[in-house]
Amino acid sequence: MAPYAVISDVHSNLHALLAVIEDIEVRGVSDIYFCGDIVGYGPRPNECIDIIKRRCKVLIAGNHDWAAVGYTETEYFNENAMAAIEWTRQTLSDEHMDDIKEFKLFKSDPEINAFFVHATPKDPDQWDYLFSLSNAAVNFKSFKQKLCFVGHSHTPVIIEMDSAGNMSTAWDRTEMQEASRYIVNVGSVGQPRDGDPRASYALVSGAEILLVRVPYDVDKTQQEMAEAKLPVRLIERLSYGH
Ligand code: ZN
């Protein structure tokens, strides 16, 4: 099976996206899957949609994508996230608005035995966060594939469930076992929140799942955000990865 990459939560951060795609290509990997949230928070939504559309084999919607086109409620969005969504609505071209309306909430690829969803396989449209192992255990019942890739929390982690139902976690890499299944949070390309400002994605090669970090030009994205008058808090957090 050819190696492949899974990316998520680009959030209109073009420079982070370009750095990640270059890192993937330098490794000789051509298949890229996308787990949702192209837009929201960042300054270059139209360019990011063009690239994701062209480069990704599978792409699905995140809560910010659906919020931008009015497909999901936004009352749980904080003030800054909401301001960025309003800005995104005004900045997206009609064509890109129509693109987002076509995005589905989940997809699977039988060729690699994987399921893709932005938040949780159990309730894809509820936008819950998958943080605890007990919550993960419930979610393992909601897909049948060996692998489920998610984003949404912006915190990369690999959760393994073995054939006896025992669970374990890994934060940087794991060797897949024959009888185990996995939920992989691939982290965020455009707004990491685990204290590491570098862009995050997952690379699957043979039995190995690797969580990769890629440095990018944070200053450039921050400058563009300032020019777009996006909220200061959203600009600053990119420096800290939080
Ligand atoms: Zn997100």
Side-chain angles (χ1 to χ4, degrees):
M1 198 188 296
Y4 60 92
V6 188
I7 66 176
S8 189
D9 297 86
V10 169
H11 288 296
S12 305
N13 187 336
L14 177 66
H15 305 293
L17 177 60
L18 291 173
V20 162
I21 288 179
E22 190 187 342
D23 191 84
I24 292 167
E25 285 175 350
V26 162
R27 293 168 190 263
V29 174
S30 53
D31 289 346
I32 306 177
Y33 295 82
F34 178 68
C35 279
D37 275 0
I38 301 185
V39 305
Y41 300 131
R44 305 287 291 274
N46 291 302
E47 294 87 344
C48 289
I49 294 173
D50 280 335
I51 294 172
I52 298 282
K53 256 171 62 183
R54 193 173 66 236
R55 270 316 261 109
C56 294
K57 207 173 164 181
V58 160
L59 70 97
I60 55 170
N63 52 323
H64 288 254
D65 303 322
W66 269 24
V69 295
Y71 275 19
T72 189
E73 302 299 327
T74 49
E75 62 260 24
Y76 65 93
F77 273 55
N78 67 38
E79 194 187 329
N80 292 330
M82 202 53 229
I85 284 298
E86 296 290 359
W87 180 89
T88 300
R89 282 176 183 156
Q90 275 151 35
T91 307
L92 279 173
S93 69
D94 291 346
E95 182 204 337
H96 290 127
M97 281 280 198
D98 289 344
D99 285 336
I100 292 178
K101 289 175 184 166
E102 299 293 316
F103 297 174
K104 303 287 178 253
L105 277 179
F106 53 86
K107 280 191 175 174
S108 59
D109 184 347
E111 228 174 277
I112 57 168
N113 200 8
F115 185 80
F116 301 89
V117 64
H118 184 64
T120 67
K122 183 169 173 283
D123 301 300
D125 62 347
Q126 295 303 302
W127 315 116
D128 294 330
Y129 289 94
L130 213 169
F131 278 132
S132 69
L133 285 184
S134 56
N135 190 0
V138 175
N139 273 282
F140 269 108
K141 297 191 182 116
S142 302
F143 65 99
K144 56 185 190 320
Q145 291 80 359
K146 183 176 183 71
L147 285 153
C148 172
F149 292 97
V150 301
H152 195 45
S153 71
H154 300 206
T155 306
V157 61
I158 302 164
I159 304 168
E160 174 177 359
M161 188 163 85
D162 70 15
S163 53
N166 300 310
M167 317 255 292
S168 58
T169 51
W171 305 96
D172 49 2
R173 67 171 298 280
T174 203
E175 203 70 34
M176 281 189 275
Q177 305 301 309
E178 197 71 46
S180 292
R181 295 167 68 230
Y182 300 84
I183 294 175
V184 182
N185 191 315
V186 304
S188 170
V189 169
Q191 194 204 72
R193 290 180 195 158
D194 62 342
D196 182 344
R198 294 174 300 167
S200 171
Y201 75 94
L203 189 71
V204 182
S205 181
E208 184 188 51
I209 306 170
L210 194 62
L211 296 172
V212 185
R213 301 310 283 256
V214 185
Y216 73 95
D217 197 337
V218 175
D219 285 352
K220 247 189 199 170
T221 293
Q222 289 176 319
Q223 260 170 36
E224 291 171 356
M225 290 173 81
E227 280 160 25
K229 299 192 170 56
L230 284 158
V232 174
R233 161 82 184 115
L234 297 179
I235 300 174
E236 286 174 346
R237 71 187 303 175
L238 296 183
S239 301
Y240 311 108
H242 190 67

